[in-house]
Amino acid sequence: MTKILLTRPLEASRQLARQLDAAGLAAIVMPMYTFAAREPRIDFDSTWLDDNQRKLAVFTSPRAVEFGLQHLPENQLDTIEFAVVGAATRARLESAGQQVHIQAGSGFTSEDLLQEPELAANPGDALVFCAPGGRRALADGLVELGWKVRRAMVYERVDLRPEPEQVEAIMGAHELLSVWTSISALKLAQKYLPEEAWKRILGAPALVISNRIQHYLKQLGASRVELAEGPGNPDLLDSLLRLTGGRGAD
């Protein structure tokens, strides 16, 4: 039986696991981290005081919307332009009743968003919602385009250690295929998993959502690293069915 190791946050992993089960594939759900709200330490009322400047709020993930949107003053929402990284973030923001003004025409990375011509014209004040240490490249890129940028760190990652039954499932899988949607998850897996379980992962095929993760995983010693069709669960499901032929058993 082929086992698919899922390492993204719990809700997303469980959703994908149910879809895999319906297709006859078994999943090992092993999220490497969760998220918690964080005090951003920013006076949002004074962030955009100059009415003559463009006001830009950049949301970098669905979690950024979940933990960050509530901080924006309601009396300023109509004057703020909203930019997003990725379709899932757009959907989360629109479900909260906000219009998305800027999104990358293709791709789902900070670099893709920075290519949008709307960001190069008449830059003003930008606020990037993210986690500590996140989206430095995006903030730096906006500065290079002329924006005055502040980062609102409204949530933080909380590490999760693998449980013994998860390690046993990895070691007991006749065939293993792992899925990685962040380098952070890879670093935590390497840190917390027993050496033999980590070696088993590196020796098995892997599916990743970006060239950056693919390169990083290959540097760690993995040799069979496939690039998914996109970052969302529907894309991951399609890629996993393609890689396995839609079969859970040998």
Side-chain angles (χ1 to χ4, degrees):
M1 173 72 74
T2 300
K3 295 288 184 70
I4 312 296
L5 177 64
L6 306 177
T7 59
R8 68 189 323 180
L10 184 59
E11 181 181 350
S13 285
R14 281 178 171 171
Q15 180 189 65
L16 182 54
R18 289 192 294 268
Q19 295 170 329
L20 289 169
D21 181 67
L25 291 164
I28 304 169
V29 175
M30 190 182 73
M32 296 310 305
Y33 52 81
T34 186
F35 301 101
R38 181 182 186 274
E39 176 55 50
R41 299 179 183 177
I42 287 181
D43 182 0
F44 290 91
D45 288 316
S46 63
T47 298
W48 293 294
L49 291 178
D50 189 349
D51 289 334
N52 295 318
Q53 293 281 349
R54 286 179 68 188
K55 304 173 184 180
L56 182 70
V58 185
F59 289 91
T60 58
S61 69
R63 274 81 55 189
V65 178
E66 176 185 354
F67 295 109
L69 183 60
Q70 60 187 310
H71 291 289
L72 289 179
E74 290 190 13
N75 63 347
Q76 296 191 35
L77 291 177
D78 291 340
T79 64
I80 296 172
E81 295 177 67
F82 290 93
V84 299
V85 177
T89 307
R90 181 189 190 109
R92 189 65 173 265
L93 194 57
E94 289 179 339
S95 70
Q98 300 303 323
Q99 178 184 354
V100 174
H101 301 88
I102 304 173
Q103 181 186 351
S106 61
F108 48 88
T109 67
S110 296
E111 291 76 14
D112 295 323
L113 179 61
L114 288 168
Q115 298 304 311
E116 287 303 296
E118 296 97 323
L119 293 177
N122 190 29
D125 295 320
L127 191 59
V128 179
F129 289 86
C130 59
R135 302 296 179 171
R136 293 184 184 275
L138 176 57
D140 291 344
L142 288 171
V143 170
E144 291 180 6
L145 291 173
W147 291 88
K148 181 180 178 181
V149 180
R150 299 179 72 187
R151 287 189 299 160
M153 302 175 194
V154 293
Y155 69 98
E156 60 188 357
R157 189 190 72 202
V158 179
D159 297 354
L160 297 174
R161 292 174 178 264
E163 299 290 340
E165 56 267 26
Q166 295 166 332
V167 176
E168 291 174 7
I170 292 171
M171 298 305 299
H174 179 61
E175 290 189 1
L176 184 70
L177 195 163
S178 61
V179 181
W180 304 94
T181 57
S182 76
I183 288 178
S184 295
L186 278 167
K187 290 180 176 179
L188 292 172
Q190 184 179 19
K191 178 180 178 180
Y192 291 130
L193 281 171
E195 183 178 358
E196 288 305 310
W198 178 243
K199 287 182 178 178
R200 181 77 200 280
I201 289 172
L202 291 182
L207 180 69
V208 301
I209 65 169
S210 72
N211 290 315
R212 187 168 65 95
I213 303 174
Q214 184 182 48
H215 178 70
Y216 184 85
L217 191 50
K218 286 184 175 181
Q219 283 188 318
L220 293 176
S223 59
R224 293 174 289 173
V225 186
E226 296 284 339
L227 193 62
E229 297 171 16
N233 276 351
D235 303 307
L236 292 173
L237 179 63
D238 288 344
S239 298
L240 289 168
L241 293 177
R242 171 175 54 82
L243 288 174
T244 62
R247 293 178 293 108
D250 298 322

